[in-house]
Amino acid sequence: MARHTRDDAAVTRARILASAQQLIRQRGLHCVTVDDVARAIGMTRGAVYGHFRSRAELLGALLCCAEADFTARLAPLVQRGAGTGPDALEQALQAILHGDELARHVSLVAALLQHKCGAACELCPLRERVLRGVEALRVTFAMLLPAPGLAGLLLAHLWGLLGAHAMHLAPAGLSGSAAALARLYRGQAALSAARACCRSDTTSHAILMRDTP
């Protein structure tokens, strides 16, 4: 009998993860079982459980891949201190939108975000992890935006682009949108500041008029 090496195990584990990810993109998270994952790559369910003790552990490993991809995109910016430069927002947007890798995680992350459960289940802890990751990303973009309050809106905008790409409704090469997005949100920040200034001036004029004999 052939002996299985650590490298063999790593290759098999990667095949299982790739199969699960592909099926989730095609069918949706709730329509994918361990049996489906195993069947798609010619394995038995027991063989899959030899690498992942449960469906939740398999999904957790997929979520780890998503978290690692997002972290890797933004890490170089942090290391270079790009967050303090004038082009930091555009660089961060390019990092998120470059290539096709992040779009492959959309189906899993979306399903976890939409998950609702009245009692604790295998998906609830994963959903909490996603929510923490989203908040960390929002804080990161808030530090890059002239108007931090726009960070949530920008995340929704980015998620829409990645989702459209995942459904093949948007072309590859989304990083070409980074410059336009950066200009848009810098412009929105300037507009918000101008409106705030106008409101302040209007209030001041009202006070002056009220206090004038």
Side-chain angles (χ1 to χ4, degrees):
M1 181 181 294
R3 296 182 61 185
H4 295 287
T5 66
R6 184 174 299 178
D7 288 342
D8 292 333
V11 170
T12 302
R13 180 183 173 89
R15 286 182 63 214
I16 294 170
L17 290 172
S19 174
Q21 188 174 75
Q22 183 64 25
L23 288 174
I24 290 171
R25 289 187 68 173
Q26 293 173 348
R27 305 180 188 177
L29 175 61
H30 297 289
C31 296
V32 176
T33 67
V34 172
D35 280 328
D36 296 327
V37 173
R39 194 179 305 115
I41 52 177
M43 294 179 66
T44 64
R45 178 175 59 178
V48 173
Y49 280 126
H51 294 269
F52 301 97
R53 291 171 295 180
S54 65
R55 181 173 181 265
E57 186 173 303
L58 173 57
L59 296 177
L62 284 176
L63 185 54
C64 283
C65 294
E67 292 166 340
D69 277 353
F70 275 95
T71 299
R73 294 300 180 94
L74 295 176
L77 299 177
V78 176
Q79 293 168 1
R80 294 198 305 265
T84 59
D87 299 323
L89 177 60
E90 183 176 340
Q91 291 173 357
L93 292 172
Q94 285 178 339
I96 292 293
L97 295 174
H98 178 72
D100 303 333
E101 290 81 4
L102 294 186
R104 66 184 177 177
H105 303 301
V106 166
S107 297
L108 172 67
V109 173
L112 292 174
L113 284 173
Q114 294 165 8
H115 173 67
K116 294 181 179 179
C117 183
C121 72
E122 64 178 9
L123 297 183
C124 289
L126 299 180
R127 182 176 186 271
E128 291 302 317
R129 276 173 57 184
V130 171
L131 291 173
R132 289 194 296 271
V134 169
E135 176 58 17
L137 202 55
R138 187 197 65 78
V139 170
T140 297
F141 276 105
M143 293 187 294
L144 299 175
L145 284 164
L150 293 174
L153 181 61
L154 177 55
L155 279 188
H157 203 150
L158 286 171
W159 185 250
L161 286 172
L162 291 173
H165 183 38
M167 294 185 289
H168 307 291
L169 298 176
L174 287 177
S175 58
S177 307
L181 272 178
R183 288 195 301 270
L184 173 64
Y185 280 86
R186 282 196 293 262
Q188 287 293 327
L191 181 60
S192 297
R195 286 175 175 170
C197 182
C198 289
R199 286 196 297 270
S200 176
D201 288 345
T202 300
T203 302
S204 298
H205 290 323
I207 293 173
L208 286 173
M209 292 177 64
R210 184 188 62 197
D211 292 343
T212 300

